[in-house]
Amino acid sequence: MSVATDNTHDVHEGRRRPATVLSLWKEYVAKLRGGDVGSLPAILGLVALVIGFSSARPETFTKAFNFGNLIQQSAGVTIIAMGLVFVLLLGEIDLAAGYTAGTSAAVMCVLAVEHDWPIGLAILACLATGALIGTCIGLIVSRLGVPSFVVTLAAFLGLQGVMLTLIGEKGSIDSGEFVAKLNAETIAVWLGVIVAAALVVIYAVATFLGNRRRRRHGLTSQPTLLWALKSGFLAVLVGLIVYYLSIERSPNAHIKSIKGVPIALLILIGLALVLSFLLGRTKWGSHVYAVGGNAEAARRAGINVPMIQLSCFMLNSTVAAIGGIMLASYSGGVNNVTGGQTTLLYAVGAAVIGGTSLFGGKGRIVDALIGGTVVAVIANGMGLMNQPDRTKYIVTGLVLLVAASVDAISRRRAAASGRV
Amino acid sequence: MSSGEPLLELRGVHKSFGAVHVLQGVDLTVRPGRVTALVGDNGAGKSTLIKGIAGIHPFDEGDYAFEGGPVHVKGPRDASALGIEVVYQDLALCDNLDVVHNMFLGRELTKSGLVDEDTMESRARETLDGLSVRTLQSVRTHVAALSGGQRQTVAIARAVLWNSKLVILDEPTAALGVAQTEQVLKLVRRLADRGLGVVLISHNLNEVFQVADDIAVLYLGQMVGQVDAATTTRERVITAITTGHVNEGDAA
Ligand SMILES: Nc1ncnc2c1ncn2[C@@H]1O[C@H](COP(=O)(O)OP(=O)(O)OP(=O)(O)O)[C@@H](O)[C@H]1O
Ligand SMILES: [Mg+2]
């Protein structure tokens, strides 16, 4: 459009005034007031929990050993939560994600241990099982229009049966050596430092170049000060984590030394980066948000809504299968409760606590990462305080309830301030 | 105004939703460079007609010709490929997305496979500036945070962003203030002056007589008639809308 208009110049200049740290801060506060709190409550909650447990159990909770252990304990659930984000973004749910993880892992173990398949092939078969389960659920939801709640409830029961059949009479199958190492071993200290440094540098350079490009295009960009603050904060955070994980944390180091970044953390971060990239940078990711926000508008815009639904369910279940590998690895195999019990509830809880909306259209992969950490810290800290499972369940349940309420209230608030 | 080859020609289109026969053999002609107003009472089938044109509720039967040749529009992509853009009555925006992503909804620009946010943002900005939208602080605002009129403007901006041949607006001024309404009507006129075909649905006959070249009256799913705005009067149009009959000498 090239349409001459009058007296708009002053307004343009006002609008294009470069953003300052102060103006961005004001914008952020306004956003929070409007009900868009994102993962802020989860981060604040996490800080409070860590301070609480650290002062209650200084001799165990803050130990480097426990820190490494916490990551490994929670890796499976957090990965399942990352997959669930795709389904939750559409406003759907997958109640079968836990048993999808268990079943896929069982397939892997049976093939690798009982049929002597090479481990690489067995892992591929595990992922394929997840993808197949997701395809079935996705087709029924998107083509037949059966609510995902019902479809995945049926799958929850059915897959539990499949998993028990795969495990057989013995009640458990071994995971094999390679898989067992995944969620137990660490990488060399120097390698951890290099990976961490590379991550920080890539982040800083990429955001710097992005800002410069936006400035050249005449678009509003992040002030350099804010960029420096963010990059600096990331560097400090990553540095602290890697430093802490590089301390010798074995209780009896002369028998077996444990130090360095756990492989589980690398898998978590790597997967989070890949999934965030898919969601944030590709056309497909934009369409996922569009379908979650207004499926009819997306359809009218020519987006293939059933295809988006199907692909989200497939991706979700495939990621759940990866979570299953981590679960099997942590407990050295698959047994009749792998992926059962609290797995699914903790995974959904992780995503929601992190700030993913149950109403669809809002959520990020890091939400699952942050929420997963919250859930893990609660479970771990309560365990160290010798609280029985019953208390752990009640507390986690309450936290989930609070998170879901924050979600609903922020929606109401947004509606009240005229933001539908 | 040129009134050459029709841009869009519908002949005897029908559409039913279950047992409800909403469109019962409707004819419509839209010429390039002209604003065709589509009027009719609530429930006459105006929105249904344009949803059929846009391919989101394809017609059950009838002939659909575009630029002189028969076409098959079975989905929204078919319509946009022909160069048809629609501003829907309910706007069809995604509240959880920002202005830029709404304007490029379903047609995001990519550079080496990735969404090209910068180019999209620049083009969104240019288009909005072209519509002299003064109240929009940032094109990165989520649509949920916009006022009714601002949302309306975003929906219109989305339709003019593409090099379209036919722009259809379903009650685009319903939520707008006086100044914004004027802007939209001027825009409608400018689009037609640039040679596009424009269909404007409105209940406001002042607006209709201000900008329209042709007036098509729909009554209970049937086309009462399509007349030249210059040769008819408000009274005749009102009679047609309310009774479904045209006074003598009016029918096209
Ligand atoms: N998806 C649908 N399913 C069933 N009936 C429908 C559907 N869409 C429209 N109708 C019916 O078709 C008729 C015409 O509706 P339509 O929305 O086209 O009217 P309209 O002329 O746009 O009215 P308004 O001026 O109020 O916008 C109405 O009786 C309506 O109930
Ligand atoms: Mg209508």
Side-chain angles (χ1 to χ4, degrees):
Chain A
M1 294 300 307
S2 57
V3 185
T5 47
D6 36 15
N7 65 35
T8 52
H9 280 287
D10 46 335
V11 187
H12 283 196
E13 273 154 31
R15 179 205 298 144
R16 296 261 166 83
R17 204 184 308 130
T20 62
V21 176
L22 189 68
S23 74
L24 286 177
W25 171 252
K26 280 190 186 145
E27 236 170 70
Y28 181 65
V29 172
K31 214 172 93 171
L32 292 183
R33 288 238 174 92
D36 190 358
V37 291
S39 48
L40 187 67
I43 293 173
L44 295 181
L46 187 60
V47 171
L49 282 169
V50 169
I51 293 176
F53 285 129
S54 302
S55 46
R57 284 288 176 276
E59 68 291 355
T60 45
F61 182 77
T62 42
K63 276 274 153 61
F65 174 72
N66 188 44
F67 187 46
N69 191 25
L70 189 137
I71 293 169
Q72 291 166 337
Q73 266 175 355
S74 62
V77 165
T78 305
I79 289 176
I80 297 174
M82 290 199 274
L84 277 169
V85 168
F86 291 93
V87 171
L88 294 175
L89 273 178
L90 298 180
E92 309 279 351
I93 185 81
D94 179 7
L95 300 176
Y99 281 117
T100 302
T103 306
S104 310
V107 167
M108 173 184 72
C109 293
V110 168
L111 292 177
V113 177
E114 294 182 359
H115 296 271
D116 291 321
W117 279 34
I119 189 63
L121 276 185
I123 288 178
L124 274 185
C126 168
L127 300 184
T129 308
L132 179 69
I133 294 170
T135 308
C136 296
I137 296 174
L139 281 177
I140 297 173
V141 171
S142 65
R143 307 289 151 162
L144 301 185
V146 185
S148 58
F149 177 80
V150 180
V151 179
T152 59
L153 192 60
F156 170 84
L157 276 177
L159 287 175
Q160 197 173 352
V162 173
M163 189 181 86
L164 291 178
T165 313
L166 285 169
I167 295 172
E169 305 287 276
K170 300 189 299 281
S172 71
I173 354 171
D174 204 57
S175 69
E177 199 184 341
F178 177 83
V179 170
K181 277 186 179 164
L182 279 181
N183 205 356
E185 303 275 305
T186 59
I187 57 172
V189 169
W190 61 268
L191 191 58
V193 173
I194 289 180
V195 171
L199 269 181
V200 173
V201 169
I202 290 173
Y203 170 84
V205 171
T207 46
F208 183 80
L209 291 180
N211 274 331
R212 204 176 62 177
R213 198 181 53 233
R214 290 180 58 82
R215 231 166 279 142
R216 235 190 271 129
H217 284 218
L219 302 168
T220 53
S221 61
Q222 211 177 37
T224 311
L225 177 61
L226 187 64
W227 166 80
L229 283 176
K230 278 186 169 178
S231 305
F233 178 76
L234 184 74
V236 170
L237 187 70
V238 171
L240 275 178
I241 291 175
V242 171
Y243 164 73
Y244 213 56
L245 287 171
S246 302
I247 305 172
E248 174 61 59
R249 57 178 184 272
S250 171
N252 25 13
H254 52 284
I255 301 176
K256 188 180 186 330
S257 159
I258 311 177
K259 57 181 176 189
V261 174
I263 298 176
L265 185 60
L266 279 190
I267 296 179
L268 268 176
I269 303 284
L271 198 58
L273 287 177
V274 170
L275 296 179
S276 299
F277 178 83
L278 278 180
L279 211 43
R281 293 274 180 274
T282 67
K283 219 168 158 163
W284 176 83
S286 301
H287 292 179
V288 171
Y289 281 106
V291 172
N294 185 343
E296 176 60 18
R299 184 178 83 87
R300 289 187 199 169
I303 295 172
N304 189 341
V305 176
M307 200 59 214
I308 295 289
Q309 288 172 325
L310 175 61
S311 54
C312 281
F313 274 100
M314 284 176 69
L315 188 58
N316 160 55
S317 300
T318 311
V319 172
I322 300 176
I325 300 177
M326 299 311 280
L327 291 177
S329 173
Y330 189 72
S331 46
V334 176
N335 55 44
N336 49 13
V337 295
T338 302
Q341 292 183 327
T342 55
T343 309
L344 174 82
L345 298 177
Y346 278 8
V348 175
V352 174
I353 289 169
T356 302
S357 173
L358 287 167
F359 302 97
K362 194 172 132 262
R364 293 167 310 165
I365 298 297
V366 290
D367 293 349
L369 216 50
I370 297 169
T373 315
V374 172
V375 172
V377 166
I378 295 176
N380 177 283
M382 304 279 288
L384 291 178
M385 292 179 70
N386 296 322
Q387 296 293 331
D389 277 351
R390 54 174 190 268
T391 322
K392 208 159 78 184
Y393 293 161
I394 293 175
V395 171
T396 317
L398 285 175
V399 170
L400 177 54
L401 192 61
V402 169
S405 307
V406 167
D407 178 23
I409 291 170
S410 71
R411 252 180 93 86
R412 285 251 301 273
R413 236 193 129 106
S417 59
R419 299 172 173 210
V420 187
Chain B
M1 282 292 127
S2 75
S3 52
E5 279 272 291
L7 182 62
L8 170 79
E9 227 176 348
L10 301 179
R11 288 290 165 262
V13 296
H14 287 259
K15 179 71 193 177
S16 300
F17 291 109
V20 195
H21 200 168
V22 180
L23 298 179
Q24 308 168 9
V26 173
D27 297 348
L28 179 72
T29 306
V30 180
R31 292 177 195 284
R34 289 174 77 85
V35 177
T36 305
L38 182 59
V39 296
D41 248 335
N42 292 122
K46 305 180 296 294
S47 296
T48 306
L49 182 62
I50 61 122
K51 283 176 186 167
I53 298 172
I56 64 171
H57 288 154
F59 298 123
D60 297 335
E61 47 182 290
D63 299 326
Y64 187 147
F66 197 77
E67 295 187 304
V71 287
H72 292 281
V73 177
K74 293 294 165 222
R77 285 203 180 271
D78 297 340
S80 49
L82 290 173
I84 300 175
E85 291 298 326
V86 184
V87 179
Y88 293 100
Q89 194 166 5
D90 59 9
L91 304 185
L93 298 173
C94 291
D95 280 331
N96 60 329
L97 299 181
D98 61 22
V99 173
V100 176
H101 275 267
N102 266 290
M103 287 176 63
F104 285 88
L105 195 66
R107 286 179 281 188
E108 293 81 2
L109 305 179
T110 53
K111 198 155 84 186
S112 48
L114 304 181
V115 176
D116 186 359
E117 298 281 347
D118 293 354
T119 312
M120 277 164 51
E121 185 170 334
S122 307
R123 279 193 51 196
R125 186 82 263 175
E126 280 163 24
T127 307
L128 286 165
D129 285 351
L131 297 178
S132 51
V133 179
R134 296 171 213 172
T135 55
L136 213 55
Q137 276 298 321
S138 156
V139 285
R140 288 299 179 183
T141 320
H142 283 196
V143 164
L146 301 183
S147 75
Q150 289 172 327
R151 296 161 63 86
Q152 188 79 260
T153 323
V154 172
I156 295 173
R158 166 162 78 191
V160 300
L161 180 65
W162 308 95
N163 272 329
S164 35
K165 293 174 182 153
L166 173 62
V167 174
I168 303 175
L169 305 103
D170 195 349
E171 302 196 30
T173 58
L176 300 185
V178 180
Q180 280 286 312
T181 299
E182 255 337 278
Q183 292 283 1
V184 169
L185 293 182
K186 272 191 198 150
L187 168 74
V188 163
R189 195 60 258 170
R190 276 194 307 256
L191 290 176
D193 292 347
R194 283 196 339 205
L196 277 71
V198 181
V199 175
L200 174 73
I201 298 181
S202 176
H203 285 293
N204 183 334
L205 289 187
N206 290 332
E207 268 174 40
V208 168
F209 276 93
Q210 186 182 337
V211 292
D213 301 300
D214 295 304
I215 300 176
V217 183
L218 204 57
Y219 180 80
L220 293 180
Q222 280 164 333
M223 190 57 80
V224 181
Q226 197 169 344
V227 295
D228 195 318
T231 64
T232 191
T233 64
R234 276 177 75 94
E235 286 66 36
R236 285 176 180 173
V237 173
I238 291 172
T239 310
I241 291 174
T242 50
T243 66
H245 296 291
V246 263
N247 291 350
E248 67 293 342
D250 258 2

